[in-house]
């Protein structure tokens, strides 16, 4: 079978799909990834064959503008409030509009048997319906339907392609462990997937070389700080500066993962307890760490849970990261700080002290790690997907 994997041109959107793509290849299926920009670089680094979708139309530009809107505080306060839905719907819809024709062309020319996509990439579902092939909605955190506001934005494009009605994907892959609550209520008017398949989260965030120190415990508690590749998520490094002060006060070592972001709010000379790194493979790094401070990104949250690590979240208002952080706190695995209200060195110090010295957050995280380990592997889910698509065709 031929699987067309696609995401918007964002590395963190494609990474959760890579384990299933690898499993499909290992099972003898053919895989093609359709994206552009950072998404293409991630796919190629993962050893996946790619084809361009949207580069000629600068499909990344609306996403970058969305980040600037978030930084200005103009995208609402919660991922499912009216302002956030409208802002994200227009941004994700425009990204998809610039990719859509390429996606349809690739699906038809390559004779794809199914399209696999994350729910925020609504253009992928439109492309699947235009090419008359099954769609597989691949979760990357809390289960979300194909993003309705972006589908509304894409309605004229769907009509142009002869798609009179967009229905939800035939199959949904759900990577959220059952004990974690979903705090995002995004409405859907296109029905529900016919099949829901649970799958263990793959924790992929590119290959890399682990330094020797990362493979052994240090003399002090080790805290990882990572807020993704966008400077806006850290207020240009101001949040990292607060975490530096907090870890210094607590006598902890801090591993700072900057992802090459331009962070003018960081001091020119970092204190000696900080290990700055551009990018390290997150999941194996966490095995020798004691806590993580992050932006609430779905991949980071689930990777930390898979490692059984307590967490402190500093999510950007108006994003799904807010509800991801609520999920962490509700499970008892660590606190969430409001970066507009109560973040700062003192608040971060108190939060880190809690997760480093209170056994309860670590115990909760370890329980989720065992739960995730028992979920079906991607190899199992690939077989289930092909079985269901084959049965539907028959």
């Amino acid at each position: 079978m031929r699987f067309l994997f696609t995401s918007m041109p964002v590395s963190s959107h494609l990474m959760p799909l890579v384990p299933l793509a690898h499993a499909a290849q290992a099972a003898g299926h053919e895989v093609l990834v359709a994206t552009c920009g950072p998404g293409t670089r991630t796919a190629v680094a993962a050893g996946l064959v790619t084809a361009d979708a949207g580069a000629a139309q600068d499909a990344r530009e609306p996403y970058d503008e969305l980040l600037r809107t978030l930084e200005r505080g103009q995208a609402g306060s919660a991922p499912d409030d009216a302002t956030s839905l409208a802002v994200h719907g227009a941004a994700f819809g425009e990204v998809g509009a610039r990719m859509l024709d390429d996606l349809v062309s690739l699906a038809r020319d390559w004779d794809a048997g199914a399209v696999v996509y994350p729910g925020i990439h609504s253009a992928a579902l439109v492309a699947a319906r235009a090419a008359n092939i099954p769609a597989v909605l691949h979760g990357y955190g809390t289960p979300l339907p194909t993003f309705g506001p972006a589908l509304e934005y894409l309605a004229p494009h769907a009509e142009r392609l002869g798609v009179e009605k967009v229905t939800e994907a035939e199959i949904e892959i759900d990577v959220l462990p059952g004990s974690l609550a979903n705090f995002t209520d995004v409405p859907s008017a296109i029905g529900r997937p016919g099949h829901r398949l649970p799958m263990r989260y793959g924790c992929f965030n590119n290959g890399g070389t682990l330094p020797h120190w990362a493979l052994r415990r240090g003399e002090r508690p080790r805290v990882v700080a990572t807020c993704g590749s966008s400077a806006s998520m850290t207020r240009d490094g101001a949040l990292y500066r607060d975490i530096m002060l907090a870890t210094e006060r607590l006598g902890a070592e801090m591993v700072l993962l900057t992802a090459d972001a331009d962070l003018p709010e960081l001091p020119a000379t970092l204190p000696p307890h900080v290990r700055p790194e551009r990018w390290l493979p997150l999941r194996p790094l966490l095995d020798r760490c004691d806590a993580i401070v992050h932006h609430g990104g779905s991949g980071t949250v689930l990777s930390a849970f898979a490692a059984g690590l307590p967490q402190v979240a500093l999510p950007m208002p108006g994003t799904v990261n807010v509800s991801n952080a609520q999920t962490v706190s509700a499970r008892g695995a660590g606190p969430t700080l409001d970066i507009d209200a109560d973040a700062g060195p003192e608040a971060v110090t108190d939060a880190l002290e809690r997760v480093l010295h209170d056994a309860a957050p670590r115990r909760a995280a370890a329980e989720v790690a065992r739960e995730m380990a028992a979920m079906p592997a991607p190899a199992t889910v690939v077989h289930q997907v092909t079985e269901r698509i084959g049965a539907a065709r028959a």
Side-chain angles (χ1 to χ4, degrees):
M1 183 170 170
R2 290 185 167 186
F3 287 97
L4 181 65
F5 283 73
T6 180
S7 80
M8 288 192 287
V10 185
S11 292
S12 59
H13 294 188
L14 181 65
M15 286 175 181
L17 280 60
V18 171
L20 187 71
H22 283 163
Q25 285 187 327
H29 302 291
E30 294 183 66
V31 168
L32 180 66
V33 177
T35 184
C36 61
T40 293
R41 293 193 290 273
T42 295
V44 171
L48 299 170
V49 177
T50 68
D52 173 73
Q57 302 298 321
D58 194 10
R60 170 75 188 200
E61 189 274 332
Y63 186 85
D64 289 335
E65 178 56 34
L66 170 64
L67 294 178
R68 291 188 285 270
T69 302
L70 289 167
E71 192 170 8
R72 294 191 297 265
Q74 298 173 342
S77 59
D80 50 3
D81 72 23
T83 300
S84 179
L85 291 173
V87 169
H88 285 81
F92 294 164
E94 180 58 24
V95 172
R98 298 184 188 193
M99 297 177 66
L100 184 55
D101 287 348
D102 285 340
L103 291 175
V104 175
S105 175
L106 288 168
R108 290 172 173 166
D109 292 345
W110 191 60
D111 194 23
V115 174
V116 184
Y117 68 102
I120 54 176
H121 187 30
S122 304
L125 181 60
V126 176
R129 296 299 172 244
N132 196 29
I133 56 176
V136 180
L137 171 62
H138 193 308
Y140 60 91
T142 53
L144 299 171
T146 303
F147 193 44
L151 283 175
E152 293 174 11
Y153 185 97
L154 290 166
H157 299 275
E159 184 178 356
R160 171 175 59 83
L161 292 168
V163 179
E164 296 182 2
K165 182 180 180 181
V166 177
T167 54
E168 185 57 283
E170 284 79 0
I171 297 171
E172 177 184 13
I173 295 173
D174 182 6
V175 297
L176 192 76
S179 71
L180 299 185
N182 184 353
F183 287 92
T184 302
D185 183 20
V186 178
S188 175
I190 60 171
R192 299 176 63 84
H195 302 280
R196 176 189 161 274
L197 304 176
M199 187 181 83
R200 183 191 315 151
Y201 185 75
C203 301
F204 177 85
N205 76 320
N206 282 330
T209 301
L210 278 178
H212 283 199
W213 60 260
L215 298 172
R216 57 179 179 269
R217 289 273 178 189
E219 296 179 356
R220 298 178 291 176
R222 181 175 290 159
V223 176
V224 173
T226 175
C227 292
S229 57
S230 170
S232 62
M233 292 293 177
T234 69
R235 301 287 165 86
D236 291 330
L239 294 184
Y240 285 148
R241 189 182 59 215
D242 293 343
I243 301 166
M244 284 180 192
L245 291 171
T247 48
E248 187 173 30
R249 291 172 180 175
L250 294 171
E253 175 188 8
M254 175 181 166
V255 181
L256 173 60
L257 304 181
T258 64
D260 282 341
D262 183 19
L263 304 172
E265 294 298 321
L266 282 184
T269 302
L270 300 179
H273 76 289
V274 176
R275 291 186 184 270
E277 297 282 350
R278 187 190 70 81
W279 198 296
L280 291 176
L282 186 61
R283 175 62 185 84
L285 171 67
L286 297 182
D287 281 339
R288 298 294 182 267
C289 296
D290 298 281
I292 182 170
V293 186
H294 57 67
H295 60 312
S298 301
T300 306
V301 165
L302 288 179
S303 294
F305 269 126
L309 209 63
Q311 312 174 39
V312 176
L314 299 163
M316 175 73 75
T319 67
V320 73
N321 298 359
V322 174
S323 55
N324 292 339
Q326 289 176 309
T327 296
V328 173
S329 297
R331 189 59 178 82
T336 295
L337 302 181
D338 184 339
I339 63 174
D340 286 335
D342 59 4
E346 292 77 17
V348 177
T349 301
D350 290 344
L352 268 176
E353 188 169 30
R354 198 183 322 166
V355 298
L356 288 173
H357 300 298
D358 184 351
R362 182 171 297 277
R363 185 166 54 247
E367 290 170 357
V368 178
R370 290 192 291 271
E371 182 182 4
M372 293 177 72
M375 294 174 74
T380 299
V381 175
V382 164
H383 180 67
Q384 293 172 334
V385 168
T386 55
E387 273 193 333
R388 281 159 178 73
I389 290 176
R393 285 175 175 167

